């Protein structure tokens, strides 16, 4: 087996170091001289293959002219988390981009999700999730499906934390009416949605069929926002072979604009819960 893929946190800390070094006009050789190490260490730190200590990180940020104490402490605190083993490492999770998704989900302070065709993973019941995986064209073995369902349920614990992320989700009406798993599974899933929709950290909206053409007609996406100013927003689009992540402002701002437009087109939270109740009664 090859070397494990560096965590999202370590890669983001590495990218910050590169950005600040280049902005300061410093070379890797100068950075190495500053913390009294070989140049190869700077290269491995900036490639996220080698950890950097808190003292070295502070010294480098000072050398690069970063003089905001609060910002420095944010980066140092996040760097400490790089060495923590995430729960996802207990599972055989592929592709690697899905591990990154879980890492973003775990560290985000605000998650915005648009899912026009199915219930968002963080809100799925176990039976609904099983039905989704069984519909895969890749003929997933039963044991593997159970492992994937376990991962999905473990992910959902992020919403039960003492300080959970704010989760704003817009579901297409098709997600409420598609008989995923059959009527009984769907009825329980919709009841679960109705309960979750009353939580203070979850804002649930439904985009009705009557909305017609809308800003999200190109498909589903997720936006991750972070409490620290050190990390930019991340937009994620899922496809059959994994995930695509976008961090450039011009990319994430396009998805932010799209989500805001969808919020305006969707039913309000109270109206969405009323629609959920009507759909359950119709089943």
């Amino acid at each position: 087996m090859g070397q494990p893929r560096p965590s999202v946190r370590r890669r983001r800390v590495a990218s910050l170091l590169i950005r600040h070094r280049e902005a300061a006009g410093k070379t890797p050789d100068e950075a190495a001289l500053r913390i009294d190490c070989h140049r190869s260490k700077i290269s491995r730190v900036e490639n996220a293959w080698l950890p950097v200590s808190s003292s070295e990180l502070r010294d480098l940020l000072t050398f690069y002219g970063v003089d905001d104490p609060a910002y420095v402490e944010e980066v140092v605190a996040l760097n400490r988390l790089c060495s923590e083993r995430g729960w996802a490492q207990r599972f055989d999770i592929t592709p690697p981009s899905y591990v990154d998704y879980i890492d973003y989900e775990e560290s985000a302070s605000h998650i915005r999700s648009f899912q026009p065709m199915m219930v968002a993973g963080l809100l799925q019941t176990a039976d609904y999730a099983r039905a989704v995986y069984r519909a895969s064209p890749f003929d997933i073995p039963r044991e593997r499906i159970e492992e994937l369902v376990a991962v999905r349920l473990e992910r959902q614990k992020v919403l039960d934390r003492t300080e959970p992320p704010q989760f704003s989700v817009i579901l297409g009406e098709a997600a409420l009416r598609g008989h995923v798993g059959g009527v009984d599974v769907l009825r329980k899933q919709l009841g679960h949605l109705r309960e979750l929709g009353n939580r203070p950290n979850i804002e649930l909206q439904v985009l009705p069929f009557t909305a017609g053409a809308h800003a999200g007609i190109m498909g589903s996406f997720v936006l991750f926002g972070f409490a620290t100013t050190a990390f930019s927003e991340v937009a994620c689009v899922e496809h059959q072979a994994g995930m695509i992540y976008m961090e450039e402002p011009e990319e994430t701002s396009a998805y932010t604009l799209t989500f805001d437009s969808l919020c305006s087109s969707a039913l309000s939270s109270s109206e969405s819960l009323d629609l959920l109740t009507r759909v359950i009664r119709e089943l």
Side-chain angles (χ1 to χ4, degrees):
M1 294 181 62
Q3 189 172 359
R5 178 181 173 88
S7 70
V8 163
R9 293 183 182 92
R10 180 166 292 169
R11 297 203 309 273
R12 299 200 91 186
V13 169
S15 69
L16 286 173
L17 284 172
I18 293 172
R19 189 177 76 196
H20 288 305
R21 177 177 60 74
E22 291 179 344
K26 306 294 186 183
T27 67
D29 289 310
E30 290 173 319
L33 185 62
R34 172 74 179 200
I35 63 172
D36 191 24
C37 70
H38 193 275
R39 187 195 185 285
S40 62
K41 176 174 179 175
I42 297 298
S43 176
R44 295 183 69 196
V45 165
E46 292 187 351
N47 284 317
W49 290 115
L50 191 69
V52 60
S53 70
S54 295
S55 59
E56 290 172 332
L57 180 57
R58 285 194 178 93
D59 200 7
L60 286 172
L61 290 174
T62 299
F63 185 50
Y64 300 154
V66 180
D67 55 7
D68 182 344
Y71 176 87
V72 170
E73 290 310 310
E74 281 184 350
V75 178
V76 170
L78 288 165
N79 184 60
R80 290 195 189 101
L81 296 175
C82 294
S83 60
E84 294 184 4
R85 284 177 58 86
W87 62 262
Q89 295 185 32
R90 300 200 309 266
F91 297 87
D92 177 21
I93 298 177
T94 53
S97 58
Y98 190 31
V99 178
D100 290 348
Y101 186 92
I102 292 172
D103 207 343
Y104 284 129
E105 208 169 55
E106 288 278 305
S107 55
S109 59
H110 190 186
I111 303 171
R112 287 168 287 178
S113 177
F114 172 57
Q115 303 296 331
M117 299 303 296
M118 72 173 184
V119 173
L122 286 179
L123 306 180
Q124 290 179 9
T125 64
D127 286 337
Y128 186 98
R130 286 188 187 94
V132 170
Y133 286 122
R134 285 172 185 154
S136 169
F138 301 113
D139 192 24
I140 306 174
R142 181 185 303 174
E143 295 79 10
R144 181 58 177 162
I145 287 177
E146 291 306 312
E147 290 175 356
L148 293 170
V149 171
V151 170
R152 184 145 298 187
L153 296 180
E154 189 72 23
R155 281 175 48 205
Q156 294 174 2
K157 292 180 181 178
V158 72
L159 298 177
D160 298 323
R161 293 191 312 214
T162 303
E163 295 183 5
Q166 181 64 35
F167 186 40
S168 303
V169 58
I170 301 174
L171 301 178
E173 187 172 345
L176 308 186
R177 296 189 180 277
H179 288 195
V180 175
V183 172
D184 288 342
V185 170
L186 179 61
R187 183 182 289 111
K188 291 176 182 177
Q189 174 65 74
L190 296 183
H192 185 58
L193 277 179
R194 190 166 54 182
E195 292 175 8
L196 293 174
N198 287 306
R199 289 193 184 185
N201 63 308
I202 298 177
E203 183 179 14
L204 172 63
Q205 291 182 263
V206 176
L207 186 69
F209 291 139
T210 53
H214 52 79
I217 207 161
M218 295 298 291
S220 63
F221 62 90
V222 179
L223 276 165
F224 297 105
F226 305 91
T228 171
T229 56
F231 288 171
S232 59
E233 283 192 326
V234 175
C236 171
V237 175
E238 185 173 4
H239 57 90
Q240 287 286 4
M243 313 279 188
I244 297 174
Y245 299 105
M246 293 157 278
E247 298 187 28
E248 295 301 320
E250 60 269 22
E251 296 172 327
T252 58
S253 62
Y255 283 96
T256 298
L257 181 63
T258 299
F259 194 85
D260 289 344
S261 178
L262 287 167
C263 285
S264 299
S265 301
L267 301 175
S268 68
S269 295
S270 61
E271 291 171 333
S272 297
L273 292 176
D274 288 342
L275 177 58
L276 265 172
T277 300
R278 291 200 302 274
V279 175
I280 292 172
R281 288 172 180 168
E282 293 169 6
L283 290 174

